[in-house]
Amino acid sequence: MDPLTILAAAKLAASAIKQGCELYQQAKSDGMELVDAYGKVKDVVADISGHLGNFFKAHEQLEKHVHEEELKTKKARDPELSVNQEAFNRILAQKEMIRLETELRETLVYSAPKELGAIWSEFEVMRDRVKAERAEVQRQELLKQQATIWRRANIKRKIAEQMTLIVAVAFIILWFLWVMILIRMSHTFRGQFSLPSLWCVLC
């Protein structure tokens, strides 16, 4: 999903929230209750809450999209999309999202149904908490990954050291055997110790 499509969804949600708050304030000032197309009392609070969820979902999608595109363009960029257009789409979406969030904050602070309470202040506090929790989870995951990488590297190093030791010991044994064979086959050794067979190298 491109940033402009995500932005359109955010605009739709923000517009619905603003309209819901305005209708709520108008109905309260007129002493009336809001009803839907079927004549039933409309749950404005639930309606606004649902649109709030859609807005922040789009907000998070945009942040995720921009982050993914930044990672993607480091590897390979879409040749059909110009650098200028790509940069413009990102900036436009981000600036418009900031504007929408500012308007939404003002609407919820001054015009939100009293049933919602200080929802924006509570939201900001909760958002900071969630960000801190996610950052801690990411930090723990990074530590686990680093520990796993260190363990694997340590195992590989130990295996390499053991293989080196085995090769060195095998080389020394073979070298010792070869020296013994040369000594047994030498004329000086044969003259002093007359042994008919060559198979008993160390006898």
Side-chain angles (χ1 to χ4, degrees):
M1 188 179 294
D2 64 278
L4 298 183
T5 303
I6 298 172
L7 181 62
K11 283 183 175 180
L12 186 63
S15 177
I17 294 168
K18 187 175 181 180
Q19 184 179 7
C21 290
E22 289 175 353
L23 288 173
Y24 175 82
Q25 292 296 331
Q26 184 65 37
K28 287 296 181 183
S29 64
D30 295 341
M32 300 172 59
E33 287 187 340
L34 291 173
V35 295
D36 57 18
Y38 302 98
K40 294 182 179 179
V41 177
K42 193 174 183 180
D43 191 347
V44 182
V45 175
D47 192 40
I48 292 174
S49 299
H51 291 303
L52 274 171
N54 293 334
F55 177 82
F56 290 117
K57 180 181 179 181
H59 192 288
E60 190 170 346
Q61 284 178 337
L62 180 62
E63 290 182 343
K64 184 179 179 181
H65 173 80
V66 171
H67 178 67
E68 289 177 349
E69 288 299 312
E70 287 175 351
L71 294 177
K72 188 187 301 181
T73 51
K74 290 178 181 179
K75 299 178 181 178
R77 188 177 61 83
D78 185 358
E80 297 182 1
L81 185 62
S82 68
V83 174
N84 295 333
Q85 186 62 45
E86 187 176 334
F88 181 77
N89 288 348
R90 288 190 201 174
I91 292 174
L92 177 64
Q94 287 176 323
K95 285 185 175 295
E96 188 65 14
M97 189 66 78
I98 292 172
R99 185 188 70 79
L100 287 173
E101 186 173 337
T102 301
E103 289 184 358
L104 186 61
R105 180 178 66 247
E106 293 175 356
T107 299
L108 292 176
V109 169
Y110 299 108
S111 305
K114 61 181 181 180
E115 290 85 352
L116 291 175
I119 186 170
W120 189 265
S121 299
E122 294 173 2
F123 158 73
E124 288 183 330
V125 172
M126 185 59 68
R127 178 168 59 180
D128 291 341
R129 184 185 302 174
V130 171
K131 283 184 177 180
E133 290 172 354
R134 290 190 178 184
E136 179 62 21
V137 170
Q138 291 177 352
R139 190 183 71 84
Q140 293 293 338
E141 289 295 327
L142 181 60
L143 289 176
K144 288 180 181 179
Q145 291 176 3
Q146 291 176 342
T148 301
I149 293 173
W150 181 84
R151 281 195 300 268
R152 289 176 180 174
N154 194 37
I155 290 172
K156 289 181 179 179
R157 180 181 58 80
K158 287 183 177 180
I159 292 174
E161 290 176 352
Q162 290 176 355
M163 292 299 297
T164 302
L165 180 61
I166 291 171
V167 171
V169 171
F171 175 78
I172 293 173
I173 292 173
L174 291 174
W175 175 81
F176 180 75
L177 291 174
W178 177 246
V179 169
M180 292 297 100
I181 291 173
L182 291 179
I183 293 173
R184 291 302 302 268
M185 294 179 65
S186 66
H187 294 290
T188 306
F189 188 86
R190 285 185 180 183
Q192 294 180 359
F193 307 96
S194 57
L195 295 174
S197 60
L198 295 176
W199 59 270
C200 187
V201 178
L202 299 178
C203 294

